[in-house]
Amino acid sequence: MSKIGRNDPCPCGSGKKHKHCHGKSEQKPPVHKFAGAFPDYQNKRVYAFTKDMVFNQLDRDCRKIEKSFDSFTKKDITAASELFGLSATIIAKQVFKSLDDQSLHHTCARLIFTASQTFLASVDNARRGFRRQHCSLARDFVELLSVVLHLVSQPSALEQFYSGKLKSPKAISTAKKFLPPFGEMYGLLSNHFVHVGVGAADFDPLIEYTIDDESLGFIVPNIKIMAWLMYVVAELVFYDEIPQPRYWKQVIQNNYMYAPSAVELKWMKKFLSIK
Protein backbone atom coordinates (compact mmCIF):
# COMPACT_ATOMS: atom_id res chain seq x y z
CA MET A 1 0.00 0.00 0.00
CA SER A 2 1.43 3.44 -0.92
CA LYS A 3 2.06 5.72 2.04
CA ILE A 4 0.12 8.99 2.21
CA GLY A 5 2.38 11.99 2.69
CA ARG A 6 1.72 14.40 5.55
CA ASN A 7 1.11 17.26 3.12
CA ASP A 8 -1.02 15.24 0.68
CA PRO A 9 -4.79 15.83 0.54
CA CYS A 10 -6.57 13.61 3.05
CA PRO A 11 -8.23 10.66 1.23
CA CYS A 12 -11.45 11.21 3.20
CA GLY A 13 -12.26 14.10 0.86
CA SER A 14 -12.32 16.86 3.49
CA GLY A 15 -10.00 19.06 1.41
CA LYS A 16 -7.56 19.36 4.32
CA LYS A 17 -3.98 18.17 4.32
CA HIS A 18 -3.59 14.64 5.66
CA LYS A 19 -1.56 15.87 8.66
CA HIS A 20 -4.40 18.18 9.70
CA CYS A 21 -7.15 15.60 9.22
CA HIS A 22 -7.08 11.80 9.62
CA GLY A 23 -3.28 11.76 9.53
CA LYS A 24 -3.20 13.63 12.80
CA SER A 25 -5.44 11.13 14.56
CA GLU A 26 -3.52 8.20 13.05
CA GLN A 27 -0.24 9.46 14.46
CA LYS A 28 -1.52 10.38 17.89
CA PRO A 29 -4.76 8.63 18.76
CA PRO A 30 -6.67 10.24 21.63
CA VAL A 31 -5.90 8.60 24.96
CA HIS A 32 -9.50 7.47 25.47
CA LYS A 33 -9.40 5.65 22.10
CA PHE A 34 -5.97 4.08 22.52
CA ALA A 35 -6.07 0.27 22.77
CA GLY A 36 -2.39 -0.63 22.51
CA ALA A 37 0.73 -0.62 20.34
CA PHE A 38 3.77 -2.63 19.41
CA PRO A 39 7.07 -1.53 17.85
CA ASP A 40 8.31 -2.98 14.56
CA TYR A 41 12.04 -2.45 14.96
CA GLN A 42 12.92 -4.05 11.63
CA ASN A 43 10.86 -1.55 9.62
CA LYS A 44 11.31 1.26 12.14
CA ARG A 45 7.62 1.68 12.76
CA VAL A 46 5.21 1.67 15.66
CA TYR A 47 1.77 0.16 15.09
CA ALA A 48 -0.94 1.77 17.21
CA PHE A 49 -4.37 0.23 17.72
CA THR A 50 -7.46 2.17 18.72
CA LYS A 51 -10.81 1.20 20.15
CA ASP A 52 -12.59 2.52 17.07
CA MET A 53 -10.72 0.28 14.60
CA VAL A 54 -13.95 -1.13 13.18
CA PHE A 55 -15.05 2.31 11.97
CA ASN A 56 -11.56 3.20 10.78
CA GLN A 57 -11.11 0.08 8.72
CA LEU A 58 -14.60 -0.01 7.21
CA ASP A 59 -14.70 3.71 6.45
CA ARG A 60 -11.19 5.06 6.01
CA ASP A 61 -9.32 1.99 4.74
CA CYS A 62 -12.06 0.42 2.63
CA ARG A 63 -12.72 3.65 0.77
CA LYS A 64 -9.17 3.69 -0.52
CA ILE A 65 -9.42 0.02 -1.48
CA GLU A 66 -12.68 0.65 -3.35
CA LYS A 67 -10.99 3.26 -5.51
CA SER A 68 -8.15 0.92 -6.38
CA PHE A 69 -10.59 -1.89 -7.21
CA ASP A 70 -12.70 0.35 -9.43
CA SER A 71 -9.66 1.64 -11.31
CA PHE A 72 -8.76 -1.89 -12.47
CA THR A 73 -12.20 -3.51 -12.86
CA LYS A 74 -14.71 -0.87 -13.96
CA LYS A 75 -15.12 -2.22 -17.51
CA ASP A 76 -15.66 -5.81 -16.32
CA ILE A 77 -18.05 -4.92 -13.51
CA THR A 78 -20.04 -2.69 -15.87
CA ALA A 79 -20.45 -5.64 -18.24
CA ALA A 80 -21.55 -7.90 -15.36
CA SER A 81 -23.98 -5.22 -14.21
CA GLU A 82 -25.74 -5.29 -17.58
CA LEU A 83 -26.52 -8.99 -17.15
CA PHE A 84 -27.56 -8.37 -13.55
CA GLY A 85 -30.09 -5.79 -14.74
CA LEU A 86 -31.53 -8.18 -17.32
CA SER A 87 -31.94 -10.89 -14.66
CA ALA A 88 -33.62 -8.46 -12.28
CA THR A 89 -36.07 -7.50 -15.02
CA ILE A 90 -36.99 -11.15 -15.64
CA ILE A 91 -37.77 -11.98 -12.01
CA ALA A 92 -39.27 -8.65 -10.88
CA LYS A 93 -42.85 -9.42 -11.90
CA GLN A 94 -42.92 -12.70 -9.97
CA VAL A 95 -41.06 -11.37 -6.92
CA PHE A 96 -43.39 -8.46 -6.28
CA LYS A 97 -46.59 -10.15 -7.41
CA SER A 98 -47.03 -12.17 -4.23
CA LEU A 99 -44.49 -12.23 -1.43
CA ASP A 100 -45.97 -15.24 0.36
CA ASP A 101 -46.99 -17.40 -2.61
CA GLN A 102 -45.32 -20.82 -2.27
CA SER A 103 -45.90 -21.93 -5.86
CA LEU A 104 -42.90 -23.06 -7.90
CA HIS A 105 -42.34 -19.94 -9.99
CA HIS A 106 -42.82 -17.51 -7.13
CA THR A 107 -40.47 -19.52 -4.93
CA CYS A 108 -37.82 -19.66 -7.64
CA ALA A 109 -38.14 -15.93 -8.28
CA ARG A 110 -37.52 -15.15 -4.61
CA LEU A 111 -34.58 -17.55 -4.49
CA ILE A 112 -33.04 -15.86 -7.53
CA PHE A 113 -33.67 -12.52 -5.85
CA THR A 114 -31.82 -13.74 -2.76
CA ALA A 115 -29.02 -14.91 -5.05
CA SER A 116 -28.92 -11.44 -6.60
CA GLN A 117 -28.50 -9.85 -3.17
CA THR A 118 -25.78 -12.37 -2.36
CA PHE A 119 -24.09 -11.46 -5.63
CA LEU A 120 -24.13 -7.77 -4.66
CA ALA A 121 -22.73 -8.56 -1.23
CA SER A 122 -19.93 -10.63 -2.78
CA VAL A 123 -18.99 -7.81 -5.16
CA ASP A 124 -19.08 -5.31 -2.31
CA ASN A 125 -16.79 -7.52 -0.22
CA ALA A 126 -14.31 -7.82 -3.08
CA ARG A 127 -14.50 -4.10 -3.82
CA ARG A 128 -13.77 -3.20 -0.20
CA GLY A 129 -10.83 -5.58 0.08
CA PHE A 130 -12.41 -8.65 1.67
CA ARG A 131 -11.06 -11.09 -0.90
CA ARG A 132 -11.65 -14.39 0.90
CA GLN A 133 -15.08 -13.35 2.14
CA HIS A 134 -16.11 -12.56 -1.45
CA CYS A 135 -15.46 -16.21 -2.29
CA SER A 136 -17.50 -17.49 0.66
CA LEU A 137 -20.51 -15.51 -0.53
CA ALA A 138 -19.93 -16.66 -4.10
CA ARG A 139 -20.34 -20.23 -2.90
CA ASP A 140 -23.66 -19.35 -1.23
CA PHE A 141 -24.73 -17.78 -4.53
CA VAL A 142 -23.96 -20.99 -6.45
CA GLU A 143 -25.90 -23.03 -3.90
CA LEU A 144 -28.97 -20.79 -4.18
CA LEU A 145 -29.13 -21.05 -7.96
CA SER A 146 -28.53 -24.80 -7.76
CA VAL A 147 -31.60 -25.17 -5.58
CA VAL A 148 -33.59 -23.22 -8.17
CA LEU A 149 -32.52 -25.60 -10.93
CA HIS A 150 -33.34 -28.60 -8.75
CA LEU A 151 -36.84 -27.29 -8.03
CA VAL A 152 -37.49 -26.53 -11.69
CA SER A 153 -36.37 -29.95 -12.88
CA GLN A 154 -38.10 -31.82 -10.06
CA PRO A 155 -41.22 -29.90 -8.99
CA SER A 156 -41.98 -32.59 -6.40
CA ALA A 157 -38.95 -31.27 -4.49
CA LEU A 158 -40.86 -28.07 -3.65
CA GLU A 159 -42.59 -29.81 -0.76
CA GLN A 160 -39.22 -31.03 0.52
CA PHE A 161 -37.87 -27.49 0.26
CA TYR A 162 -40.62 -25.99 2.42
CA SER A 163 -40.44 -28.83 4.92
CA GLY A 164 -36.70 -28.24 5.33
CA LYS A 165 -35.79 -31.70 3.99
CA LEU A 166 -34.11 -30.62 0.74
CA LYS A 167 -30.33 -31.07 1.01
CA SER A 168 -28.23 -28.65 -1.03
CA PRO A 169 -25.60 -31.24 -2.17
CA LYS A 170 -28.41 -33.01 -4.02
CA ALA A 171 -29.27 -29.72 -5.68
CA ILE A 172 -25.64 -29.25 -6.76
CA SER A 173 -25.73 -32.66 -8.44
CA THR A 174 -28.80 -31.59 -10.38
CA ALA A 175 -27.39 -28.18 -11.30
CA LYS A 176 -24.14 -29.48 -12.76
CA LYS A 177 -26.16 -31.69 -15.11
CA PHE A 178 -27.66 -28.50 -16.51
CA LEU A 179 -24.38 -26.56 -16.56
CA PRO A 180 -21.01 -28.08 -15.51
CA PRO A 181 -19.69 -24.76 -14.07
CA PHE A 182 -22.01 -25.22 -11.10
CA GLY A 183 -20.18 -28.30 -9.89
CA GLU A 184 -16.74 -26.87 -10.64
CA MET A 185 -17.39 -23.57 -8.86
CA TYR A 186 -19.08 -25.15 -5.86
CA GLY A 187 -16.21 -27.58 -5.32
CA LEU A 188 -13.50 -24.95 -5.73
CA LEU A 189 -15.16 -22.36 -3.52
CA SER A 190 -16.06 -24.91 -0.84
CA ASN A 191 -12.63 -26.51 -0.63
CA HIS A 192 -10.57 -23.34 -0.72
CA PHE A 193 -12.70 -20.63 0.84
CA VAL A 194 -15.53 -22.09 2.94
CA HIS A 195 -14.15 -25.21 4.60
CA VAL A 196 -11.38 -24.12 6.94
CA GLY A 197 -8.07 -25.32 5.56
CA VAL A 198 -4.48 -24.18 5.22
CA GLY A 199 -5.49 -21.18 3.12
CA ALA A 200 -7.50 -19.72 6.00
CA ALA A 201 -4.24 -19.24 7.90
CA ASP A 202 -2.77 -17.01 5.19
CA PHE A 203 -2.19 -13.38 6.15
CA ASP A 204 -4.84 -11.48 4.19
CA PRO A 205 -4.87 -7.83 5.33
CA LEU A 206 -7.09 -5.04 4.03
CA ILE A 207 -4.85 -3.50 1.39
CA GLU A 208 -5.36 -1.67 -1.88
CA TYR A 209 -5.41 -3.59 -5.13
CA THR A 210 -2.53 -3.31 -7.59
CA ILE A 211 -2.42 -3.98 -11.31
CA ASP A 212 -0.58 -7.26 -10.74
CA ASP A 213 -2.76 -8.39 -7.81
CA GLU A 214 -3.26 -12.14 -8.24
CA SER A 215 -6.60 -12.06 -6.45
CA LEU A 216 -8.11 -9.88 -9.19
CA GLY A 217 -7.30 -12.63 -11.67
CA PHE A 218 -9.74 -14.85 -9.77
CA ILE A 219 -12.28 -12.37 -8.44
CA VAL A 220 -13.12 -10.54 -11.67
CA PRO A 221 -13.81 -13.67 -13.78
CA ASN A 222 -15.74 -15.07 -10.82
CA ILE A 223 -18.02 -12.01 -10.70
CA LYS A 224 -18.66 -12.22 -14.43
CA ILE A 225 -19.54 -15.91 -14.41
CA MET A 226 -21.85 -15.36 -11.42
CA ALA A 227 -23.74 -12.65 -13.31
CA TRP A 228 -23.93 -14.93 -16.34
CA LEU A 229 -25.20 -17.93 -14.35
CA MET A 230 -27.92 -15.81 -12.74
CA TYR A 231 -29.18 -14.69 -16.14
CA VAL A 232 -29.08 -18.21 -17.62
CA VAL A 233 -31.04 -19.63 -14.66
CA ALA A 234 -33.60 -16.79 -14.71
CA GLU A 235 -34.13 -17.30 -18.44
CA LEU A 236 -34.76 -21.02 -17.96
CA VAL A 237 -37.22 -20.58 -15.08
CA PHE A 238 -39.21 -17.93 -16.92
CA TYR A 239 -38.65 -19.20 -20.45
CA ASP A 240 -42.26 -18.59 -21.52
CA GLU A 241 -41.94 -14.90 -20.69
CA ILE A 242 -38.71 -14.31 -22.66
CA PRO A 243 -39.36 -12.93 -26.18
CA GLN A 244 -36.07 -14.24 -27.56
CA PRO A 245 -34.32 -16.77 -25.28
CA ARG A 246 -30.55 -16.68 -25.63
CA TYR A 247 -29.60 -20.00 -24.04
CA TRP A 248 -32.50 -22.43 -23.94
CA LYS A 249 -34.66 -24.19 -26.50
CA GLN A 250 -37.90 -25.97 -25.68
CA VAL A 251 -37.82 -29.59 -26.87
CA ILE A 252 -41.22 -30.64 -25.59
CA GLN A 253 -43.51 -29.05 -23.02
CA ASN A 254 -41.60 -28.39 -19.77
CA ASN A 255 -38.45 -29.89 -21.27
CA TYR A 256 -35.64 -27.58 -22.33
CA MET A 257 -32.24 -27.96 -23.92
CA TYR A 258 -29.24 -25.69 -23.40
CA ALA A 259 -28.64 -24.41 -26.93
CA PRO A 260 -26.88 -21.04 -27.26
CA SER A 261 -26.44 -19.79 -30.81
CA ALA A 262 -23.06 -19.44 -32.51
CA VAL A 263 -23.27 -15.68 -31.95
CA GLU A 264 -24.01 -16.23 -28.26
CA LEU A 265 -21.12 -18.69 -27.90
CA LYS A 266 -18.79 -16.10 -29.40
CA TRP A 267 -20.04 -13.47 -26.96
CA MET A 268 -19.69 -15.89 -24.04
CA LYS A 269 -16.11 -16.71 -25.01
CA LYS A 270 -15.21 -13.04 -24.84
CA PHE A 271 -17.29 -12.15 -21.77
CA LEU A 272 -16.22 -15.15 -19.71
CA SER A 273 -12.63 -15.00 -21.01
CA ILE A 274 -12.82 -18.60 -22.23
CA LYS A 275 -9.64 -19.63 -24.01
Side-chain angles (χ1 to χ4, degrees):
M1 185 190 303
S2 59
K3 184 175 178 60
I4 303 170
R6 283 172 47 77
N7 292 310
D8 291 340
C10 189
C12 75
S14 66
K16 299 179 182 179
K17 290 184 178 180
H18 188 52
K19 65 182 179 182
H20 295 310
C21 194
H22 282 79
K24 184 176 180 180
S25 61
E26 288 170 15
Q27 295 165 21
K28 296 180 180 180
V31 175
H32 70 280
K33 292 185 178 180
F34 186 74
F38 79 87
D40 181 355
Y41 296 109
Q42 183 176 355
N43 296 303
K44 297 180 180 179
R45 291 179 179 178
V46 174
Y47 292 90
F49 299 90
T50 61
K51 296 175 183 177
D52 57 356
M53 279 185 66
V54 170
F55 298 105
N56 287 340
Q57 290 207 281
L58 294 180
D59 185 36
R60 180 196 65 207
D61 297 341
C62 287
R63 286 191 182 187
K64 291 184 290 183
I65 297 170
E66 286 175 1
K67 291 179 180 179
S68 68
F69 182 85
D70 292 345
S71 68
F72 299 121
T73 68
K74 188 171 183 179
K75 182 179 178 180
D76 293 304
I77 303 305
T78 298
S81 182
E82 291 179 12
L83 274 182
F84 182 91
L86 292 173
S87 302
T89 302
I90 291 172
I91 68 171
K93 180 180 178 181
Q94 298 294 338
V95 168
F96 297 110
K97 188 174 182 180
S98 179
L99 297 179
D100 57 359
D101 190 325
Q102 294 189 353
S103 64
L104 179 62
H105 273 195
H106 285 86
T107 299
C108 288
R110 291 195 297 273
L111 284 170
I112 296 173
F113 177 78
T114 300
S116 74
Q117 299 299 92
T118 305
F119 171 83
L120 289 175
S122 73
V123 174
D124 188 54
N125 265 325
R127 188 168 177 257
R128 291 165 66 81
F130 299 98
R131 295 155 169 84
R132 173 170 289 275
Q133 289 70 26
H134 155 78
C135 295
S136 296
L137 285 168
R139 192 258 207 174
D140 292 342
F141 170 89
V142 171
E143 189 169 332
L144 281 161
L145 291 186
S146 296
V147 170
V148 171
L149 290 176
H150 185 72
L151 293 178
V152 169
S153 63
Q154 301 181 43
S156 60
L158 189 64
E159 184 178 348
Q160 286 184 309
F161 174 76
Y162 278 110
S163 65
K165 296 178 181 178
L166 178 60
K167 304 300 180 182
S168 58
K170 188 173 183 179
I172 296 296
S173 298
T174 300
K176 66 183 182 182
K177 292 177 183 177
F178 278 88
L179 294 166
F182 274 99
E184 297 165 8
M185 285 186 69
Y186 188 78
L188 175 65
L189 295 169
S190 297
N191 294 334
H192 293 279
F193 301 104
V194 176
H195 302 320
V196 179
V198 176
D202 291 342
F203 182 55
D204 189 23
L206 281 176
I207 58 175
E208 294 175 58
Y209 290 96
T210 60
I211 194 169
D212 58 348
D213 196 317
E214 291 184 1
S215 62
L216 286 179
F218 178 80
I219 289 172
V220 173
N222 197 50
I223 288 173
K224 292 171 77 174
I225 195 171
M226 288 166 68
W228 176 76
L229 286 173
M230 184 164 66
Y231 177 83
V232 174
V233 171
E235 184 183 279
L236 174 62
V237 176
F238 301 103
Y239 179 88
D240 293 337
E241 299 178 25
I242 310 297
Q244 294 182 317
R246 295 167 57 178
Y247 294 98
W248 302 96
K249 180 179 180 180
Q250 188 170 25
V251 181
I252 57 176
Q253 188 174 7
N254 297 324
N255 194 321
Y256 305 91
M257 176 177 66
Y258 178 70
S261 67
V263 173
E264 195 66 34
L265 288 171
K266 184 177 180 180
W267 178 87
M268 287 167 53
K269 185 174 181 180
K270 181 179 179 180
F271 178 75
L272 300 174
S273 302
I274 301 172
K275 297 181 179 180

